[in-house]
Amino acid sequence: MARTRGSKAEITGPLIREAALRLFARHGYAAVSMRQIAREVGVQAGALYAYTPDKQALLFDLMETHMQRLLASWQDDTASPPLVRLERFVRFHIADSLDHSDSVFLSYMELRNLSEVNHRKISKLRRDYESKLESILRDGQQDEVIGVDDIRLSAMALIGMLTAVTNWYRAGGRLDQQRVGDIYWGLAKGAVGA
């Protein structure tokens, strides 16, 4: 396990994850080799295997970490009215997506490259996150402040719309993040018939 002189495990491990995330998001999982990741970090390719069994495990770890962090970050206040909760979700999802755009890209574009077992695990975490929004929509329907035909489909459509902000938003552009959140909140309200 050749490590570059002066490198340390507690530093090298996170550097490998950061480099892999950046390279996978920029070039695609299939186009990135373990050698490229090693070169980016400044270690020999064999040294990577002290930190991950293989490239598939690295992809899964990046996606799982992202989804677990996302689930832990979202805090719903079920005592609040459904439309207040929905607005909080909209603004949270946009802000989180923009703060972690490479992870978001990976979670959507590279899901297809996971093994069957890993795909099931990540899909379950994604489903857990989607259910948070479904709960808000369901409560809104019960309170008659939200009108959607299909809660599951509506939740997935809203998340897709919110996540797409990572495709076009640029800090310092025409709209700041607050204004983007305002506009998306208006779109979300319209989408759920509020």
Side-chain angles (χ1 to χ4, degrees):
M1 287 183 255
R3 187 183 295 155
T4 302
R5 187 186 311 202
S7 70
K8 297 183 177 173
E10 66 274 7
I11 296 170
T12 306
L15 288 176
I16 290 168
R17 291 171 45 82
E18 290 167 17
L21 176 61
R22 191 171 48 254
L23 290 170
F24 291 162
R26 185 178 309 138
H27 303 292
Y29 171 80
V32 175
S33 70
M34 292 295 268
R35 287 189 189 283
Q36 285 174 285
I37 296 168
R39 189 173 32 240
E40 185 88 5
V41 176
V43 298
Q44 295 180 15
L48 295 182
Y49 298 100
Y51 301 94
T52 185
D54 55 33
K55 192 168 84 162
Q56 173 68 203
L58 186 54
L59 177 65
F60 173 74
D61 181 54
L62 291 168
M63 293 174 120
E64 182 183 45
T65 299
H66 168 68
M67 287 307 304
Q68 288 177 341
R69 184 204 49 74
L70 182 65
L71 283 161
S73 296
W74 168 245
Q75 300 297 316
D76 191 10
D77 178 8
T78 56
S80 294
L83 289 179
V84 170
R85 293 166 58 204
L86 180 59
E87 181 177 5
R88 283 189 63 242
F89 185 91
V90 165
R91 293 183 186 278
F92 164 81
H93 190 86
I94 289 171
D96 192 85
S97 294
L98 292 176
D99 287 346
H100 301 92
S101 58
D102 283 350
S103 294
V104 169
F105 179 84
L106 217 61
S107 289
Y108 280 86
M109 299 308 294
E110 299 299 346
L111 193 62
R112 67 185 184 270
N113 282 309
L114 289 172
S115 69
E116 187 176 328
V117 170
N118 288 342
H119 189 285
R120 272 197 307 272
K121 291 175 184 175
I122 297 301
S123 293
K124 183 193 180 313
L125 291 171
R126 287 174 60 144
R127 183 72 182 98
D128 290 348
Y129 182 68
E130 292 160 359
S131 73
K132 309 295 185 193
L133 179 54
E134 289 174 26
S135 175
I136 295 169
L137 297 178
R138 191 171 297 108
D139 290 349
Q141 267 192 335
Q142 289 172 355
D143 288 1
E144 298 181 352
V145 295
I146 288 175
V148 294
D149 291 332
D150 187 288
I151 289 173
R152 172 105 176 100
L153 179 60
S154 298
M156 289 173 35
L158 282 172
I159 289 173
M161 177 183 77
L162 299 173
T163 301
V165 73
T166 61
N167 295 329
W168 61 265
Y169 180 81
R170 297 296 172 261
R174 185 173 66 84
L175 301 171
D176 65 16
Q177 192 170 319
Q178 176 64 41
R179 184 67 182 128
V180 169
D182 295 343
I183 293 169
Y184 268 72
W185 169 229
L187 292 168
K189 278 196 299 189
V192 300

